[in-house]
Structure formats: structure tokens, C-alpha cells
Amino acid sequence: MLDRIADKWTVLVVGALATETKRFGQLRRELDGVSQKMLTQTLRGLERDGIVYRKVYATVPPKVEYSLTTLGLTLVNLVETVRYWSEGNIEKVLMAQKRYDA
Amino acid sequence: MLDRIADKWTVLVVGALATETKRFGQLRRELDGVSQKMLTQTLRGLERDGIVYRKVYATVPPKVEYSLTTLGLTLVNLVETVRYWSEGNIEKVLMAQKRYDA
DNA sequence: CGGGATCCACATCGATACTG
DNA sequence: CAGTATCGATGTGGATCCCG
């Protein structure tokens, strides 16, 4: 459980879906560095956990939209806080690492 | 970066050290299910990142105390929130999984 | 477009044995 | 007591190819 919500891609995906529904390709482009496999895997896991809702349109070409469920929305604040802490302290951590490695 | 602070053992270790300094064996007993290897590894990583302070007493038998640094203390609220969300929503997630798997 | 399937390199982790 | 070292099983992630 901690594993999932603490997961790197979970944090990024929930963050990306915080404000609006997005399509697969859109997410892939936004989450720089994610492979298609990892994105699919993360989304499937989040869908299974009831955090993300997956809506498939039976069109050609296919169209799939991802959004947060009610449960997923309760996670938004949490992951934003996590990201905020990361961005705000990454410098201190990098400096500590330099000191430690020396 | 997200990887570390989101890590399962990081959450548990920071949580365990939130209120008081603890020894290695004490942490190991408290964090049920952690192997000695993972605990050592997690603590080393957190020490390297400047989140945990490691104090070694030159005694026989050895005594090593772990505590949070100033930076580490800023993480306490965050990890407590993560744990709180987990504990508060684990039931919903498990139910969603049952539904999904069916 | 949104994946599924497969292969493979690499990292992770548990178990075990040993030590200052 | 608090580790280090090592091995072997398992898991993870990227790359590639293919499909409805």
C-alpha cells in the first residue's frame, strides 16, 4: 500500500490528472521519461486500486481518457505536498550527498 | 528523489524516528518485517541524503543511535500524512481491487 | 491511438554466514 | 550489537515488435 501511493510514477500521474482528464498519449508526453510500459502498468494499478477511472471510447482510432475517481481526488493534496517537499529540498539533499561522498 | 521519500521503508523509518532517537536493534524490532539488510541500506541512504543522523559510540558492544536531522524533521509531517491516508483508505482500495479482479 | 507480448539487462531483496 | 559480504531467486524497467 505504501508502495503504491509512494511510487514515483503514481505521484506524477496523480499530479498530472489532478486538474483534468487526460488521454494516454497526453500523459506520456507530459511525464517526461516514462516508458509506455510503465505508464500502462501504473495506470492499470491505479485503476485497480480505484484511484483512476479509465474511459474507453469505441472509436477508430481508439480514444481512452483517464481521470481521478473520488478516492483519487483525496490523494491530490498528498502527492502535491510530496512534490513540493521534493522540489523545495532537492538542493539540500544533493549537498548532503556531496558531503557524505567526500 | 521522489523514489527515496516515497519509499516504503523511508516512510516507516522516518515515522519511527519522529519522536525519539533509536538504536539499530530497536528500529529493527519496531519495523516488523524489515530485513537487517534493508534497514541498514535504508538508514545509509537517509544518512547520505542528510535526513538521518548516525551517532556511533566507541564502546563494546557497539552502540549506534539514529535520529532525524533538521531536514529530516521537516519530513515528519509529510510521512505521517502518507501513513494516515494509507491507513484510512486501505479498505476502500482493497474493495476496489476485489471489484476489479472480478 | 493505445496498448499487449516478449526478451533481456539490471536492480532488489531475503537468507545465510561471518566479524570487530 | 551492529553491521559487512555474498549468493541466488525474483522483480523491474527499457527496447522492440506487433495489433485492432
mmCIF file of all heavy atoms in Angstrom, chain C:
data_model
loop_
_atom_site.group_PDB
_atom_site.id
_atom_site.type_symbol
_atom_site.label_atom_id
_atom_site.label_comp_id
_atom_site.label_asym_id
_atom_site.label_seq_id
_atom_site.Cartn_x
_atom_site.Cartn_y
_atom_site.Cartn_z
ATOM 1 P P DC C 1 -1.715 9.387 -33.016
ATOM 2 O OP1 DC C 1 -1.731 10.657 -32.325
ATOM 3 O OP2 DC C 1 -0.442 8.693 -33.193
ATOM 4 O "O5'" DC C 1 -2.710 8.452 -32.219
ATOM 5 C "C5'" DC C 1 -4.011 8.955 -31.947
ATOM 6 C "C4'" DC C 1 -4.652 7.961 -31.035
ATOM 7 O "O4'" DC C 1 -4.658 6.668 -31.699
ATOM 8 C "C3'" DC C 1 -3.904 7.761 -29.711
ATOM 9 O "O3'" DC C 1 -4.870 7.779 -28.687
ATOM 10 C "C2'" DC C 1 -3.202 6.414 -29.853
ATOM 11 C "C1'" DC C 1 -4.062 5.678 -30.874
ATOM 12 N N1 DC C 1 -3.266 4.788 -31.767
ATOM 13 C C2 DC C 1 -3.624 3.441 -31.898
ATOM 14 O O2 DC C 1 -4.570 3.012 -31.258
ATOM 15 N N3 DC C 1 -2.910 2.647 -32.725
ATOM 16 C C4 DC C 1 -1.881 3.146 -33.414
ATOM 17 N N4 DC C 1 -1.209 2.330 -34.235
ATOM 18 C C5 DC C 1 -1.486 4.525 -33.293
ATOM 19 C C6 DC C 1 -2.197 5.299 -32.461
ATOM 20 P P DG C 2 -4.482 7.825 -27.153
ATOM 21 O OP1 DG C 2 -5.610 8.440 -26.443
ATOM 22 O OP2 DG C 2 -3.135 8.397 -27.047
ATOM 23 O "O5'" DG C 2 -4.443 6.289 -26.761
ATOM 24 C "C5'" DG C 2 -5.645 5.539 -26.842
ATOM 25 C "C4'" DG C 2 -5.354 4.097 -26.568
ATOM 26 O "O4'" DG C 2 -4.572 3.557 -27.658
ATOM 27 C "C3'" DG C 2 -4.514 3.838 -25.297
ATOM 28 O "O3'" DG C 2 -5.036 2.711 -24.624
ATOM 29 C "C2'" DG C 2 -3.134 3.570 -25.845
ATOM 30 C "C1'" DG C 2 -3.485 2.842 -27.117
ATOM 31 N N9 DG C 2 -2.432 2.768 -28.123
ATOM 32 C C8 DG C 2 -1.446 3.697 -28.381
ATOM 33 N N7 DG C 2 -0.624 3.324 -29.339
ATOM 34 C C5 DG C 2 -1.085 2.081 -29.718
ATOM 35 C C6 DG C 2 -0.601 1.182 -30.707
ATOM 36 O O6 DG C 2 0.363 1.328 -31.453
ATOM 37 N N1 DG C 2 -1.373 0.023 -30.784
ATOM 38 C C2 DG C 2 -2.472 -0.242 -29.994
ATOM 39 N N2 DG C 2 -3.089 -1.410 -30.213
ATOM 40 N N3 DG C 2 -2.936 0.590 -29.067
ATOM 41 C C4 DG C 2 -2.197 1.726 -28.982
ATOM 42 P P DG C 3 -4.659 2.482 -23.097
ATOM 43 O OP1 DG C 3 -5.342 1.260 -22.636
ATOM 44 O OP2 DG C 3 -4.875 3.747 -22.424
ATOM 45 O "O5'" DG C 3 -3.067 2.197 -23.130
ATOM 46 C "C5'" DG C 3 -2.571 0.913 -22.799
ATOM 47 C "C4'" DG C 3 -2.790 -0.047 -23.936
ATOM 48 O "O4'" DG C 3 -2.147 0.489 -25.102
ATOM 49 C "C3'" DG C 3 -2.152 -1.409 -23.716
ATOM 50 O "O3'" DG C 3 -3.114 -2.320 -23.287
ATOM 51 C "C2'" DG C 3 -1.645 -1.816 -25.091
ATOM 52 C "C1'" DG C 3 -1.872 -0.582 -25.952
ATOM 53 N N9 DG C 3 -0.655 -0.249 -26.684
ATOM 54 C C8 DG C 3 0.115 0.879 -26.540
ATOM 55 N N7 DG C 3 1.131 0.920 -27.351
ATOM 56 C C5 DG C 3 1.031 -0.257 -28.068
ATOM 57 C C6 DG C 3 1.860 -0.760 -29.107
ATOM 58 O O6 DG C 3 2.885 -0.266 -29.588
ATOM 59 N N1 DG C 3 1.403 -1.989 -29.570
ATOM 60 C C2 DG C 3 0.289 -2.647 -29.099
ATOM 61 N N2 DG C 3 -0.001 -3.817 -29.651
ATOM 62 N N3 DG C 3 -0.494 -2.175 -28.151
ATOM 63 C C4 DG C 3 -0.062 -0.984 -27.679
ATOM 64 P P DG C 4 -2.829 -3.410 -22.305
ATOM 65 O OP1 DG C 4 -4.148 -3.716 -21.734
ATOM 66 O OP2 DG C 4 -1.722 -2.990 -21.451
ATOM 67 O "O5'" DG C 4 -2.347 -4.682 -23.146
ATOM 68 C "C5'" DG C 4 -3.262 -5.352 -24.007
ATOM 69 C "C4'" DG C 4 -2.512 -6.422 -24.791
ATOM 70 O "O4'" DG C 4 -1.581 -5.780 -25.696
ATOM 71 C "C3'" DG C 4 -1.675 -7.355 -23.912
ATOM 72 O "O3'" DG C 4 -1.806 -8.687 -24.418
ATOM 73 C "C2'" DG C 4 -0.249 -6.830 -24.071
ATOM 74 C "C1'" DG C 4 -0.269 -6.252 -25.476
ATOM 75 N N9 DG C 4 0.625 -5.113 -25.654
ATOM 76 C C8 DG C 4 0.577 -3.924 -24.976
ATOM 77 N N7 DG C 4 1.502 -3.076 -25.353
ATOM 78 C C5 DG C 4 2.196 -3.750 -26.345
ATOM 79 C C6 DG C 4 3.315 -3.335 -27.126
ATOM 80 O O6 DG C 4 3.916 -2.256 -27.088
ATOM 81 N N1 DG C 4 3.716 -4.329 -28.017
ATOM 82 C C2 DG C 4 3.118 -5.562 -28.138
ATOM 83 N N2 DG C 4 3.642 -6.383 -29.050
ATOM 84 N N3 DG C 4 2.073 -5.955 -27.416
ATOM 85 C C4 DG C 4 1.667 -5.000 -26.543
ATOM 86 P P DA C 5 -1.028 -9.874 -23.717
ATOM 87 O OP1 DA C 5 -1.769 -11.115 -23.978
ATOM 88 O OP2 DA C 5 -0.717 -9.474 -22.320
ATOM 89 O "O5'" DA C 5 0.336 -9.901 -24.539
ATOM 90 C "C5'" DA C 5 0.308 -10.160 -25.945
ATOM 91 C "C4'" DA C 5 1.681 -10.670 -26.400
ATOM 92 O "O4'" DA C 5 2.558 -9.542 -26.635
ATOM 93 C "C3'" DA C 5 2.381 -11.549 -25.360
ATOM 94 O "O3'" DA C 5 3.034 -12.608 -26.046
ATOM 95 C "C2'" DA C 5 3.367 -10.600 -24.680
ATOM 96 C "C1'" DA C 5 3.700 -9.611 -25.805
ATOM 97 N N9 DA C 5 3.979 -8.255 -25.343
ATOM 98 C C8 DA C 5 3.329 -7.564 -24.360
ATOM 99 N N7 DA C 5 3.785 -6.343 -24.167
ATOM 100 C C5 DA C 5 4.805 -6.232 -25.105
ATOM 101 C C6 DA C 5 5.675 -5.170 -25.427
ATOM 102 N N6 DA C 5 5.670 -3.985 -24.806
ATOM 103 N N1 DA C 5 6.573 -5.380 -26.406
ATOM 104 C C2 DA C 5 6.588 -6.569 -27.025
ATOM 105 N N3 DA C 5 5.818 -7.637 -26.816
ATOM 106 C C4 DA C 5 4.935 -7.389 -25.833
ATOM 107 P P DT C 6 3.813 -13.756 -25.210
ATOM 108 O OP1 DT C 6 3.583 -15.031 -25.910
ATOM 109 O OP2 DT C 6 3.472 -13.639 -23.787
ATOM 110 O "O5'" DT C 6 5.332 -13.338 -25.409
ATOM 111 C "C5'" DT C 6 5.765 -12.946 -26.716
ATOM 112 C "C4'" DT C 6 7.176 -12.396 -26.675
ATOM 113 O "O4'" DT C 6 7.159 -11.005 -26.295
ATOM 114 C "C3'" DT C 6 8.109 -13.103 -25.678
ATOM 115 O "O3'" DT C 6 9.274 -13.528 -26.367
ATOM 116 C "C2'" DT C 6 8.442 -12.028 -24.657
ATOM 117 C "C1'" DT C 6 8.270 -10.753 -25.467
ATOM 118 N N1 DT C 6 7.985 -9.535 -24.678
ATOM 119 C C2 DT C 6 8.704 -8.404 -24.935
ATOM 120 O O2 DT C 6 9.573 -8.331 -25.789
ATOM 121 N N3 DT C 6 8.368 -7.316 -24.160
ATOM 122 C C4 DT C 6 7.416 -7.272 -23.163
ATOM 123 O O4 DT C 6 7.205 -6.252 -22.534
ATOM 124 C C5 DT C 6 6.693 -8.510 -22.941
ATOM 125 C C7 DT C 6 5.644 -8.569 -21.888
ATOM 126 C C6 DT C 6 7.014 -9.563 -23.694
ATOM 127 P P DC C 7 10.235 -14.671 -25.727
ATOM 128 O OP1 DC C 7 10.380 -15.772 -26.694
ATOM 129 O OP2 DC C 7 9.790 -14.964 -24.347
ATOM 130 O "O5'" DC C 7 11.609 -13.875 -25.668
ATOM 131 C "C5'" DC C 7 11.961 -13.005 -26.741
ATOM 132 C "C4'" DC C 7 13.066 -12.052 -26.287
ATOM 133 O "O4'" DC C 7 12.475 -10.903 -25.621
ATOM 134 C "C3'" DC C 7 14.042 -12.672 -25.286
ATOM 135 O "O3'" DC C 7 15.385 -12.407 -25.710
ATOM 136 C "C2'" DC C 7 13.725 -11.987 -23.970
ATOM 137 C "C1'" DC C 7 13.171 -10.641 -24.427
ATOM 138 N N1 DC C 7 12.238 -10.002 -23.466
ATOM 139 C C2 DC C 7 12.326 -8.617 -23.232
ATOM 140 O O2 DC C 7 13.179 -7.963 -23.830
ATOM 141 N N3 DC C 7 11.469 -8.052 -22.356
ATOM 142 C C4 DC C 7 10.562 -8.797 -21.726
ATOM 143 N N4 DC C 7 9.737 -8.186 -20.871
ATOM 144 C C5 DC C 7 10.456 -10.208 -21.943
ATOM 145 C C6 DC C 7 11.306 -10.759 -22.822
ATOM 146 P P DC C 8 16.578 -13.243 -25.045
ATOM 147 O OP1 DC C 8 17.464 -13.670 -26.151
ATOM 148 O OP2 DC C 8 16.065 -14.227 -24.069
ATOM 149 O "O5'" DC C 8 17.312 -12.081 -24.244
ATOM 150 C "C5'" DC C 8 17.438 -10.785 -24.833
ATOM 151 C "C4'" DC C 8 17.797 -9.759 -23.769
ATOM 152 O "O4'" DC C 8 16.600 -9.362 -23.052
ATOM 153 C "C3'" DC C 8 18.768 -10.278 -22.704
ATOM 154 O "O3'" DC C 8 19.783 -9.304 -22.516
ATOM 155 C "C2'" DC C 8 17.906 -10.427 -21.458
ATOM 156 C "C1'" DC C 8 16.872 -9.328 -21.676
ATOM 157 N N1 DC C 8 15.594 -9.493 -20.945
ATOM 158 C C2 DC C 8 15.002 -8.368 -20.336
ATOM 159 O O2 DC C 8 15.570 -7.280 -20.429
ATOM 160 N N3 DC C 8 13.840 -8.524 -19.664
ATOM 161 C C4 DC C 8 13.261 -9.727 -19.596
ATOM 162 N N4 DC C 8 12.117 -9.814 -18.925
ATOM 163 C C5 DC C 8 13.852 -10.880 -20.210
ATOM 164 C C6 DC C 8 15.009 -10.722 -20.874
ATOM 165 P P DA C 9 21.160 -9.761 -21.801
ATOM 166 O OP1 DA C 9 22.160 -9.971 -22.869
ATOM 167 O OP2 DA C 9 20.883 -10.839 -20.834
ATOM 168 O "O5'" DA C 9 21.527 -8.436 -21.008
ATOM 169 C "C5'" DA C 9 21.342 -7.171 -21.640
ATOM 170 C "C4'" DA C 9 21.111 -6.110 -20.577
ATOM 171 O "O4'" DA C 9 19.785 -6.291 -20.000
ATOM 172 C "C3'" DA C 9 22.107 -6.189 -19.416
ATOM 173 O "O3'" DA C 9 22.544 -4.871 -19.119
ATOM 174 C "C2'" DA C 9 21.304 -6.813 -18.279
ATOM 175 C "C1'" DA C 9 19.868 -6.410 -18.598
ATOM 176 N N9 DA C 9 18.869 -7.415 -18.208
ATOM 177 C C8 DA C 9 18.884 -8.754 -18.476
ATOM 178 N N7 DA C 9 17.838 -9.399 -18.017
ATOM 179 C C5 DA C 9 17.079 -8.419 -17.405
ATOM 180 C C6 DA C 9 15.847 -8.457 -16.726
ATOM 181 N N6 DA C 9 15.134 -9.571 -16.550
ATOM 182 N N1 DA C 9 15.362 -7.291 -16.239
ATOM 183 C C2 DA C 9 16.076 -6.167 -16.422
ATOM 184 N N3 DA C 9 17.252 -6.001 -17.047
ATOM 185 C C4 DA C 9 17.701 -7.186 -17.518
ATOM 186 P P DC C 10 23.714 -4.643 -18.067
ATOM 187 O OP1 DC C 10 24.476 -3.468 -18.520
ATOM 188 O OP2 DC C 10 24.388 -5.932 -17.798
ATOM 189 O "O5'" DC C 10 22.906 -4.238 -16.762
ATOM 190 C "C5'" DC C 10 21.858 -3.273 -16.867
ATOM 191 C "C4'" DC C 10 20.979 -3.339 -15.625
ATOM 192 O "O4'" DC C 10 20.163 -4.514 -15.653
ATOM 193 C "C3'" DC C 10 21.772 -3.397 -14.321
ATOM 194 O "O3'" DC C 10 21.546 -2.174 -13.633
ATOM 195 C "C2'" DC C 10 21.175 -4.599 -13.562
ATOM 196 C "C1'" DC C 10 19.892 -4.896 -14.326
ATOM 197 N N1 DC C 10 19.463 -6.321 -14.337
ATOM 198 C C2 DC C 10 18.209 -6.653 -13.812
ATOM 199 O O2 DC C 10 17.502 -5.756 -13.345
ATOM 200 N N3 DC C 10 17.814 -7.951 -13.837
ATOM 201 C C4 DC C 10 18.614 -8.882 -14.351
ATOM 202 N N4 DC C 10 18.165 -10.148 -14.358
ATOM 203 C C5 DC C 10 19.886 -8.560 -14.889
ATOM 204 C C6 DC C 10 20.280 -7.284 -14.865
ATOM 205 P P DA C 11 22.271 -1.922 -12.211
ATOM 206 O OP1 DA C 11 22.751 -0.537 -12.281
ATOM 207 O OP2 DA C 11 23.198 -3.029 -11.881
ATOM 208 O "O5'" DA C 11 21.042 -1.988 -11.207
ATOM 209 C "C5'" DA C 11 19.828 -1.353 -11.559
ATOM 210 C "C4'" DA C 11 18.727 -1.759 -10.602
ATOM 211 O "O4'" DA C 11 18.365 -3.137 -10.843
ATOM 212 C "C3'" DA C 11 19.114 -1.648 -9.123
ATOM 213 O "O3'" DA C 11 18.025 -1.039 -8.444
ATOM 214 C "C2'" DA C 11 19.342 -3.109 -8.712
ATOM 215 C "C1'" DA C 11 18.390 -3.869 -9.631
ATOM 216 N N9 DA C 11 18.812 -5.231 -9.976
ATOM 217 C C8 DA C 11 19.985 -5.602 -10.576
ATOM 218 N N7 DA C 11 20.084 -6.890 -10.797
ATOM 219 C C5 DA C 11 18.893 -7.400 -10.314
ATOM 220 C C6 DA C 11 18.386 -8.698 -10.261
ATOM 221 N N6 DA C 11 19.030 -9.780 -10.715
ATOM 222 N N1 DA C 11 17.162 -8.872 -9.706
ATOM 223 C C2 DA C 11 16.500 -7.803 -9.256
ATOM 224 N N3 DA C 11 16.869 -6.528 -9.257
ATOM 225 C C4 DA C 11 18.098 -6.386 -9.813
ATOM 226 P P DT C 12 18.140 -0.710 -6.871
ATOM 227 O OP1 DT C 12 17.427 0.556 -6.654
ATOM 228 O OP2 DT C 12 19.541 -0.871 -6.433
ATOM 229 O "O5'" DT C 12 17.266 -1.894 -6.249
ATOM 230 C "C5'" DT C 12 16.117 -2.346 -6.945
ATOM 231 C "C4'" DT C 12 15.451 -3.463 -6.172
ATOM 232 O "O4'" DT C 12 15.986 -4.727 -6.600
ATOM 233 C "C3'" DT C 12 15.655 -3.396 -4.659
ATOM 234 O "O3'" DT C 12 14.391 -3.578 -4.048
ATOM 235 C "C2'" DT C 12 16.594 -4.560 -4.364
ATOM 236 C "C1'" DT C 12 16.272 -5.525 -5.485
ATOM 237 N N1 DT C 12 17.363 -6.430 -5.928
ATOM 238 C C2 DT C 12 17.102 -7.786 -6.022
ATOM 239 O O2 DT C 12 16.042 -8.283 -5.733
ATOM 240 N N3 DT C 12 18.157 -8.533 -6.485
ATOM 241 C C4 DT C 12 19.414 -8.069 -6.847
ATOM 242 O O4 DT C 12 20.268 -8.847 -7.256
ATOM 243 C C5 DT C 12 19.617 -6.642 -6.722
ATOM 244 C C7 DT C 12 20.936 -6.037 -7.095
ATOM 245 C C6 DT C 12 18.599 -5.910 -6.273
ATOM 246 P P DC C 13 14.261 -3.175 -2.493
ATOM 247 O OP1 DC C 13 12.913 -2.613 -2.343
ATOM 248 O OP2 DC C 13 15.444 -2.423 -2.018
ATOM 249 O "O5'" DC C 13 14.265 -4.626 -1.829
ATOM 250 C "C5'" DC C 13 13.374 -5.627 -2.343
ATOM 251 C "C4'" DC C 13 13.801 -6.999 -1.861
ATOM 252 O "O4'" DC C 13 14.965 -7.432 -2.588
ATOM 253 C "C3'" DC C 13 14.178 -7.050 -0.387
ATOM 254 O "O3'" DC C 13 13.179 -7.802 0.310
ATOM 255 C "C2'" DC C 13 15.552 -7.749 -0.362
ATOM 256 C "C1'" DC C 13 15.670 -8.337 -1.767
ATOM 257 N N1 DC C 13 17.058 -8.438 -2.296
ATOM 258 C C2 DC C 13 17.530 -9.679 -2.739
ATOM 259 O O2 DC C 13 16.792 -10.675 -2.665
ATOM 260 N N3 DC C 13 18.783 -9.767 -3.242
ATOM 261 C C4 DC C 13 19.559 -8.679 -3.309
ATOM 262 N N4 DC C 13 20.776 -8.818 -3.812
ATOM 263 C C5 DC C 13 19.092 -7.408 -2.854
ATOM 264 C C6 DC C 13 17.843 -7.331 -2.351
ATOM 265 P P DG C 14 13.355 -8.056 1.877
ATOM 266 O OP1 DG C 14 12.008 -7.890 2.456
ATOM 267 O OP2 DG C 14 14.495 -7.278 2.404
ATOM 268 O "O5'" DG C 14 13.732 -9.600 1.945
ATOM 269 C "C5'" DG C 14 13.004 -10.547 1.165
ATOM 270 C "C4'" DG C 14 13.580 -11.931 1.375
ATOM 271 O "O4'" DG C 14 14.842 -12.046 0.659
ATOM 272 C "C3'" DG C 14 13.889 -12.262 2.828
ATOM 273 O "O3'" DG C 14 13.533 -13.633 3.068
ATOM 274 C "C2'" DG C 14 15.395 -12.030 2.947
ATOM 275 C "C1'" DG C 14 15.895 -12.369 1.543
ATOM 276 N N9 DG C 14 17.055 -11.588 1.104
ATOM 277 C C8 DG C 14 17.256 -10.241 1.265
ATOM 278 N N7 DG C 14 18.380 -9.813 0.758
ATOM 279 C C5 DG C 14 18.964 -10.955 0.226
ATOM 280 C C6 DG C 14 20.207 -11.120 -0.453
ATOM 281 O O6 DG C 14 21.045 -10.252 -0.737
ATOM 282 N N1 DG C 14 20.427 -12.441 -0.824
ATOM 283 C C2 DG C 14 19.548 -13.477 -0.563
ATOM 284 N N2 DG C 14 19.918 -14.689 -0.993
ATOM 285 N N3 DG C 14 18.384 -13.335 0.069
ATOM 286 C C4 DG C 14 18.160 -12.057 0.432
ATOM 287 P P DA C 15 13.816 -14.309 4.495
ATOM 288 O OP1 DA C 15 12.712 -15.268 4.706
ATOM 289 O OP2 DA C 15 14.067 -13.241 5.479
ATOM 290 O "O5'" DA C 15 15.172 -15.109 4.264
ATOM 291 C "C5'" DA C 15 15.307 -15.936 3.110
ATOM 292 C "C4'" DA C 15 16.636 -16.672 3.165
ATOM 293 O "O4'" DA C 15 17.678 -15.820 2.657
ATOM 294 C "C3'" DA C 15 17.071 -17.102 4.581
ATOM 295 O "O3'" DA C 15 17.565 -18.436 4.512
ATOM 296 C "C2'" DA C 15 18.159 -16.089 4.946
ATOM 297 C "C1'" DA C 15 18.741 -15.738 3.589
ATOM 298 N N9 DA C 15 19.292 -14.386 3.498
ATOM 299 C C8 DA C 15 18.734 -13.236 3.990
ATOM 300 N N7 DA C 15 19.441 -12.148 3.749
ATOM 301 C C5 DA C 15 20.535 -12.624 3.051
ATOM 302 C C6 DA C 15 21.651 -11.969 2.497
ATOM 303 N N6 DA C 15 21.862 -10.650 2.582
ATOM 304 N N1 DA C 15 22.568 -12.737 1.855
ATOM 305 C C2 DA C 15 22.358 -14.062 1.768
ATOM 306 N N3 DA C 15 21.343 -14.781 2.249
ATOM 307 C C4 DA C 15 20.462 -13.997 2.880
ATOM 308 P P DT C 16 17.999 -19.193 5.862
ATOM 309 O OP1 DT C 16 17.615 -20.602 5.699
ATOM 310 O OP2 DT C 16 17.521 -18.411 7.024
ATOM 311 O "O5'" DT C 16 19.588 -19.099 5.829
ATOM 312 C "C5'" DT C 16 20.273 -19.317 4.598
ATOM 313 C "C4'" DT C 16 21.728 -18.903 4.728
ATOM 314 O "O4'" DT C 16 21.852 -17.473 4.525
ATOM 315 C "C3'" DT C 16 22.346 -19.185 6.104
ATOM 316 O "O3'" DT C 16 23.426 -20.098 5.942
ATOM 317 C "C2'" DT C 16 22.827 -17.823 6.596
ATOM 318 C "C1'" DT C 16 22.939 -17.025 5.303
ATOM 319 N N1 DT C 16 22.801 -15.559 5.473
ATOM 320 C C2 DT C 16 23.781 -14.746 4.942
ATOM 321 O O2 DT C 16 24.741 -15.179 4.338
ATOM 322 N N3 DT C 16 23.586 -13.402 5.141
ATOM 323 C C4 DT C 16 22.542 -12.806 5.817
ATOM 324 O O4 DT C 16 22.483 -11.592 5.927
ATOM 325 C C5 DT C 16 21.550 -13.714 6.354
ATOM 326 C C7 DT C 16 20.379 -13.175 7.108
ATOM 327 C C6 DT C 16 21.725 -15.031 6.161
ATOM 328 P P DA C 17 24.171 -20.744 7.264
ATOM 329 O OP1 DA C 17 24.397 -22.181 7.012
ATOM 330 O OP2 DA C 17 23.447 -20.316 8.487
ATOM 331 O "O5'" DA C 17 25.571 -19.981 7.217
ATOM 332 C "C5'" DA C 17 26.274 -19.847 5.976
ATOM 333 C "C4'" DA C 17 27.409 -18.844 6.148
ATOM 334 O "O4'" DA C 17 26.872 -17.498 6.120
ATOM 335 C "C3'" DA C 17 28.149 -18.988 7.485
ATOM 336 O "O3'" DA C 17 29.551 -19.053 7.259
ATOM 337 C "C2'" DA C 17 27.758 -17.745 8.265
ATOM 338 C "C1'" DA C 17 27.486 -16.754 7.141
ATOM 339 N N9 DA C 17 26.595 -15.658 7.537
ATOM 340 C C8 DA C 17 25.381 -15.762 8.155
ATOM 341 N N7 DA C 17 24.813 -14.608 8.395
ATOM 342 C C5 DA C 17 25.704 -13.683 7.885
ATOM 343 C C6 DA C 17 25.688 -12.277 7.821
ATOM 344 N N6 DA C 17 24.696 -11.535 8.293
ATOM 345 N N1 DA C 17 26.743 -11.663 7.245
ATOM 346 C C2 DA C 17 27.755 -12.404 6.768
ATOM 347 N N3 DA C 17 27.880 -13.738 6.766
ATOM 348 C C4 DA C 17 26.806 -14.316 7.346
ATOM 349 P P DC C 18 30.575 -19.296 8.525
ATOM 350 O OP1 DC C 18 31.658 -20.189 8.027
ATOM 351 O OP2 DC C 18 29.799 -19.668 9.725
ATOM 352 O "O5'" DC C 18 31.200 -17.836 8.748
ATOM 353 C "C5'" DC C 18 31.764 -17.129 7.635
ATOM 354 C "C4'" DC C 18 32.029 -15.674 8.015
ATOM 355 O "O4'" DC C 18 30.779 -14.982 8.218
ATOM 356 C "C3'" DC C 18 32.833 -15.516 9.322
ATOM 357 O "O3'" DC C 18 33.968 -14.705 9.067
ATOM 358 C "C2'" DC C 18 31.856 -14.810 10.262
ATOM 359 C "C1'" DC C 18 30.924 -14.099 9.303
ATOM 360 N N1 DC C 18 29.570 -13.813 9.852
ATOM 361 C C2 DC C 18 29.152 -12.488 9.977
ATOM 362 O O2 DC C 18 29.933 -11.577 9.647
ATOM 363 N N3 DC C 18 27.905 -12.227 10.472
ATOM 364 C C4 DC C 18 27.104 -13.231 10.821
ATOM 365 N N4 DC C 18 25.896 -12.921 11.285
ATOM 366 C C5 DC C 18 27.516 -14.594 10.702
ATOM 367 C C6 DC C 18 28.738 -14.839 10.215
ATOM 368 P P DT C 19 35.090 -14.510 10.266
ATOM 369 O OP1 DT C 19 36.420 -14.498 9.633
ATOM 370 O OP2 DT C 19 34.782 -15.435 11.377
ATOM 371 O "O5'" DT C 19 34.760 -13.015 10.749
ATOM 372 C "C5'" DT C 19 34.775 -11.927 9.822
ATOM 373 C "C4'" DT C 19 34.561 -10.619 10.579
ATOM 374 O "O4'" DT C 19 33.162 -10.503 10.963
ATOM 375 C "C3'" DT C 19 35.362 -10.511 11.877
ATOM 376 O "O3'" DT C 19 35.933 -9.217 11.955
ATOM 377 C "C2'" DT C 19 34.301 -10.680 12.963
ATOM 378 C "C1'" DT C 19 33.080 -10.066 12.291
ATOM 379 N N1 DT C 19 31.768 -10.504 12.837
ATOM 380 C C2 DT C 19 30.863 -9.529 13.210
ATOM 381 O O2 DT C 19 31.087 -8.342 13.123
ATOM 382 N N3 DT C 19 29.678 -10.021 13.689
ATOM 383 C C4 DT C 19 29.313 -11.348 13.845
ATOM 384 O O4 DT C 19 28.220 -11.655 14.282
ATOM 385 C C5 DT C 19 30.320 -12.310 13.437
ATOM 386 C C7 DT C 19 30.030 -13.764 13.567
ATOM 387 C C6 DT C 19 31.489 -11.849 12.959
ATOM 388 P P DG C 20 37.470 -9.041 12.421
ATOM 389 O OP1 DG C 20 38.261 -8.998 11.180
ATOM 390 O OP2 DG C 20 37.772 -10.043 13.463
ATOM 391 O "O5'" DG C 20 37.500 -7.585 13.074
ATOM 392 C "C5'" DG C 20 37.003 -6.461 12.364
ATOM 393 C "C4'" DG C 20 36.435 -5.459 13.369
ATOM 394 O "O4'" DG C 20 35.154 -5.948 13.825
ATOM 395 C "C3'" DG C 20 37.298 -5.260 14.612
ATOM 396 O "O3'" DG C 20 37.220 -3.891 15.014
ATOM 397 C "C2'" DG C 20 36.608 -6.139 15.649
ATOM 398 C "C1'" DG C 20 35.149 -6.032 15.244
ATOM 399 N N9 DG C 20 34.297 -7.158 15.590
ATOM 400 C C8 DG C 20 34.590 -8.494 15.514
ATOM 401 N N7 DG C 20 33.595 -9.269 15.874
ATOM 402 C C5 DG C 20 32.592 -8.396 16.208
ATOM 403 C C6 DG C 20 31.271 -8.640 16.673
ATOM 404 O O6 DG C 20 30.729 -9.721 16.885
ATOM 405 N N1 DG C 20 30.582 -7.461 16.897
ATOM 406 C C2 DG C 20 31.081 -6.184 16.695
ATOM 407 N N2 DG C 20 30.277 -5.183 16.962
ATOM 408 N N3 DG C 20 32.319 -5.942 16.263
ATOM 409 C C4 DG C 20 33.006 -7.085 16.042
#
